[in-house]
Amino acid sequence: GHPALNTAALPAGTLVATLVLAGCGAPPPAARHLVLVTLDTTRADRLGCYGRAEAGTPALDALAARGTRVERAYAPCPLTLPSHVSLLTGLLPPRTGVHVNGQTTLAGGVETLAERLRAAGFYTAAAIGGFPLAARFPASRGFERYDDRLADPRNPSGVERPADAVVRAALALLDERGDRRAFLWVHLYDPHDPYEPPEPYRSRFAGDPYQGEIAFADAAVGDLLDGVRQRLGDDVAICVAGDHGEALGDHGEPTHGFFLYEPTVRVPLILAGPRVPAGRVLPGPLSLVDVAPTLLGILGLEAPGGLDGAAIDLDVARPSSEPIYLETELPRRNYGWSALHGVVEGSTKWIDAPRPELYDLAADPSETRNLVPGAETTIAPLREWLAEVRSDAVGEPTAGAIDPRLAGLGYVGSSTAPASGTDLPDPKDKVEIYALFQRAGRALEQGRYDDALDAASRLLGLEDSPGARFKRAEALARLGRLDAAESDLDRVAAVDPAYPGLEMERLRIALARGRWQEAVRHADAHLARVPDDAEALAFRAAARERLGDAGAAESDYRAALEANPAYRDPALRLATLLVREGRVDEARAVLRERLRVAPGDPLARGLLESL
C-alpha cells in the first residue's frame, strides 16, 4: 500500500490472515463461499444501521447487527465503474487506469478478485443491474458467468433492471456451481436516478422516492440472503458495499460524480459470516480498496503484495491511520474543467482543486467552512502524499468512443475531448452549468419536453458547447420542431462529429419525416458503434419494413427483443408483421412471450385474443 502520513504502513494482506482470537492458538476457520453485494448510488446515512430513522432497510440492518459495520468507508471515486474496479482489484484508479464510466480497458498486469478466486478453484458468477457494469467493461474480468441481461421496461435502450430480477438471475447462477466453492457478486442499481421505486415502496416513500429505491433494494438483499442460505448454508462470507453516494442537491450537485463531498464518497460497508466479529462497528476511515485483501483473508487465501488496500483488522476497533485517496476525473473528461483529487486522514479532508478546500469533518460534517487560509502546515503533507500516489499512475488507456447509453444516464457533458493543461476552471464555478445539464437530461427522460427545452436554452446562454446544443436539439425534436432540431445537430456535428447519440437523434428525425432510406443509414452508423442498442434496432426495423424489406425488419425486431426483452414496441410490431405474412402461430408465440415478460400488457393481450 501507499505509505501512511504519520505511522508506519502495515504490510498489505497480513492482518486478517494472521488474526488470532484471544485465548486461541489458531485463527477461526475460513469461510467456504463469498457473496459480494454492491449497492449503486447508496449514501451511508440513508440506512437504518447508519442512523436513519424509518429507513426501510431491515435486511441490511440485521446483517450489520450480526456482523461488522464500517462507520466511515470511502469510495475512491464517485462513479460506478472506477469505484467497482478499485473494489475488485484493491488498487486505486491511478493504478487501474479506470477513471470514468465507459472505459473498456484495464491497465496491464492488474488482477481482479474474481480472477484470483477462479484460479483458486472457485465458481465465479455475477449478476448486474446497470449498464455501466455491462460485460464489455473491465469489472467483468475473471467471472465464469456474467449475467448482464438488462430487461428494462423504462428505457428502450436497456440500461438497467430492477433488484428483484437481478436477485432471481443471481440465484439461478448459483444453481450452476456444482460442488465448488462459490464467489457470487450481485449489483443492485435501483437507487440510481431516476428514482422510481415500485409499489409498495412508491406509496410508502411518496415524499422521498430515493429512499423508496433503497428500501426496495434492501428487500431484494433479504431475498438474496435467504436464497443463498438455502443453497450454500451458513459457511458464507457476506460483504455489502456502496459504490458511491448521491448528493441530492448538497453543494448544488444533483446526483454524483462531480464533487468529492461526503454525500457522494462516503458509502456503507458491512461484513458478516465466518471470521467476522458480530455487532462490531469500526470507526474508519477505510477505503473500498481495502475490501479485496480483507475478503481474501476471510476465505483463508493470501492477499498479494503491491496492493493499495490493506486487509482490515476486524478485531481492532480503532480509527484507521491510513490516508484515504479520492478523485473525480468527470469534470475534466466530460466538461473540460479541472479534475478533483482529495485526501481524508482522520477527520481532516483536503480537496485539491484550483481553489483548494480543507474541512474538519468532526466539527463540520456538512463541509461548509473551508479552513484553507493559514492551514499550509496541515496541507503540505497531504499534498505530498497525494502527489506520491499519483506519481505511479499508469498511462491513459486508449479511450474508445463513448457509448451513447451513458449519455442517457447523465455521464456525458459539454464535450467528448478531455481537457488538458493546468489552468482549467474550478468545478465549483461551473456547478450551475452541470446542474442544468442534469435537469435537461432528467426532463427529457420523464417526457417533460418544455422543461427540457427551458433548461437546455438556459444552458446555451451560459456556454455554447456541443453538449448544450445536443440537449436543445433533443428537446426541440420531441416537441416536433424538427427544422430547429436539425439545425442544432448540424452545429454539433461541425464541432464534435463523434458526439454520443448524434446519429441516434438524426435517426429519430428521419423517421419522423418519413425518410426511410436516410433512417436506415443513420441506424447503421449508430449500430456500428453500439450493436446491441435495442431502440436503434427497432427503429431500423420500422424503416426497413416501410421500405418493403420484411425479412430484414423481422431480423431487427428479434435482435431488439434479444437485447432488451422488456421492450414492448418491437414485440407488438413483430407480431403484426408476422400476421401480415400469414404466420399466425409465430405471431401468437411472440405475443405469449411478451405476456410472460409483461403480464399486464393490454395491447399484447388484446392482439393475442383477436388471433
Side-chain angles (χ1 to χ4, degrees):
H2 288 287
L5 289 169
N6 300 329
T7 58
L10 291 159
T14 59
L15 296 173
V16 168
T18 58
L19 192 155
V20 176
L21 287 187
C24 269
R32 178 163 169 76
H33 306 291
L34 170 62
V35 173
L36 169 66
V37 180
T38 54
L39 305 173
D40 214 289
T41 323
T42 299
R43 283 171 64 139
D45 63 6
R46 287 305 190 102
L47 303 187
C49 54
Y50 281 88
R52 181 159 184 108
E54 306 298 319
T57 55
L60 291 166
D61 300 346
L63 188 72
R66 73 175 174 93
T68 292
R69 175 174 71 78
V70 180
E71 179 63 27
R72 290 173 61 212
Y74 284 90
C77 174
L79 291 166
T80 297
L81 180 64
S83 182
H84 276 89
V85 168
S86 285
L87 185 152
L88 291 165
T89 60
L91 296 170
L92 295 168
R95 308 255 318 272
T96 66
V98 179
H99 298 274
V100 288
N101 289 332
Q103 288 184 251
T104 52
T105 53
L106 199 53
V110 172
E111 234 188 324
T112 67
L113 181 63
E115 285 174 312
R116 293 184 197 285
L117 294 180
R118 192 171 180 179
F122 279 70
Y123 168 66
T124 57
I128 62 106
F131 177 71
L133 295 174
R136 75 199 65 194
F137 303 125
S140 64
R141 284 259 296 262
F143 286 97
E144 186 178 325
R145 299 280 282 111
Y146 199 84
D147 186 330
D148 65 346
R149 292 170 299 172
L150 302 176
D152 183 355
R154 299 190 289 195
N155 185 315
S157 291
V159 292
E160 63 176 303
R161 61 176 160 173
D164 51 0
V166 177
V167 165
R168 282 195 298 275
L171 293 174
L173 290 174
L174 212 46
D175 291 332
E176 296 176 23
R177 79 180 171 95
D179 58 0
R180 287 180 287 169
R181 297 178 77 179
F183 168 35
L184 177 69
W185 168 34
V186 182
H187 164 250
L188 305 180
Y189 193 69
D190 306 79
H192 196 284
D193 74 303
Y195 317 126
E196 297 170 346
E199 290 296 358
Y201 306 96
R202 182 186 299 260
S203 298
R204 183 176 161 196
F205 296 95
D208 189 353
Y210 172 69
Q211 191 67 40
E213 291 275 36
I214 288 174
F216 173 53
D218 179 86
V221 170
D223 292 342
L224 173 71
L225 296 180
D226 289 345
V228 164
R229 195 173 300 113
Q230 287 162 19
R231 289 162 176 81
L232 301 178
D234 291 320
D235 197 359
V236 185
I238 310 284
C239 176
V240 176
D243 67 339
H244 56 75
E246 188 81 324
L248 301 173
D250 283 349
H251 292 269
E253 180 177 18
T255 53
H256 58 269
F258 194 67
F259 287 139
L260 296 176
Y261 299 118
E262 294 290 284
T264 65
V265 294
R266 190 179 152 227
V267 293
L269 178 58
I270 300 167
L271 296 155
R275 293 194 173 183
V276 180
R280 172 153 294 163
V281 178
L282 300 180
L286 295 165
S287 169
L288 291 184
V289 292
D290 299 325
V291 169
T294 303
L295 296 178
L296 286 167
I298 289 171
L299 292 167
L301 300 169
E302 192 66 39
L307 298 184
D308 294 322
I312 301 164
D313 188 341
L314 298 170
D315 255 27
V316 183
R318 59 177 167 75
S320 162
S321 58
E322 292 278 335
I324 304 292
Y325 173 88
L326 306 172
E327 71 159 46
T328 179
E329 285 271 349
L330 180 132
R332 181 178 77 83
R333 289 167 186 255
N334 290 2
Y335 291 88
W337 307 327
S338 177
L340 300 173
H341 300 87
V343 188
V344 173
E345 195 205 13
S347 63
T348 301
K349 183 178 191 177
W350 180 61
I351 299 171
D352 184 17
R355 292 201 314 287
E357 298 165 70
L358 181 71
Y359 299 104
D360 177 349
L361 297 173
D364 177 26
S366 302
E367 299 162 289
T368 58
R369 296 191 297 281
N370 185 356
L371 305 174
V372 159
E376 192 48 45
T377 52
T378 306
I379 292 168
L382 299 171
R383 184 188 285 120
E384 198 176 304
W385 183 84
L386 195 56
E388 187 178 336
V389 174
R390 297 185 62 208
S391 68
D392 63 356
V394 296
E396 298 265 316
T398 323
I402 296 172
D403 192 301
R405 283 170 288 193
L406 292 170
L409 295 170
Y411 296 122
V412 176
S414 327
S415 120
T416 57
S420 55
T422 51
D423 198 19
L424 298 175
D426 193 315
K428 292 188 288 293
D429 298 329
K430 299 290 187 178
V431 68
E432 184 187 357
I433 290 175
Y434 177 69
L436 281 169
F437 248 102
Q438 299 285 309
R439 195 187 116 196
R442 295 301 150 256
L444 282 164
E445 203 169 62
Q446 293 163 7
R448 296 180 288 106
Y449 303 132
D450 286 315
D451 189 19
L453 181 59
D454 175 61
S457 302
R458 286 172 58 191
L459 192 53
L460 264 173
L462 295 171
E463 65 153 37
D464 189 346
S465 67
R469 284 209 170 268
F470 186 76
K471 281 274 178 272
R472 188 171 74 172
E474 286 183 286
L476 288 165
R478 302 300 183 282
L479 290 165
R481 294 165 59 182
L482 302 183
D483 289 343
E486 280 194 301
S487 162
D488 270 341
L489 292 177
D490 289 343
R491 296 196 46 186
V492 173
V495 179
D496 190 351
Y499 193 85
L502 187 58
E503 292 293 346
M504 187 69 174
E505 210 45 49
R506 290 185 144 160
L507 163 58
R508 289 177 194 279
I509 290 173
L511 285 174
R513 292 194 185 279
R515 299 179 189 156
W516 313 121
Q517 206 71 57
E518 188 186 317
V520 170
R521 250 196 345 269
H522 290 309
D524 288 346
H526 177 82
L527 288 162
R529 278 175 68 178
V530 196
D532 58 347
D533 187 328
E535 190 170 29
L537 287 163
F539 284 170
R540 186 171 70 180
R544 284 174 157 176
E545 201 177 344
R546 291 303 190 106
L547 290 166
D549 191 346
E554 178 185 344
S555 158
D556 273 347
Y557 284 137
R558 290 191 187 279
L561 285 173
E562 175 75 21
N564 181 6
Y567 186 11
R568 173 195 213 174
D569 195 51
L572 299 181
R573 286 176 177 268
L574 174 59
T576 309
L577 183 150
L578 292 169
V579 169
R580 274 208 303 276
E581 296 210 318
R583 295 154 64 189
V584 176
D585 284 348
E586 289 174 69
R588 284 196 189 103
V590 168
L591 292 168
R592 286 196 190 100
E593 175 58 19
R594 169 65 194 161
L595 287 167
R596 189 189 68 76
V597 172
D601 186 336
L603 276 178
R605 187 161 298 291
L607 192 48
L608 184 60
E609 283 168 6
S610 74
L611 295 178

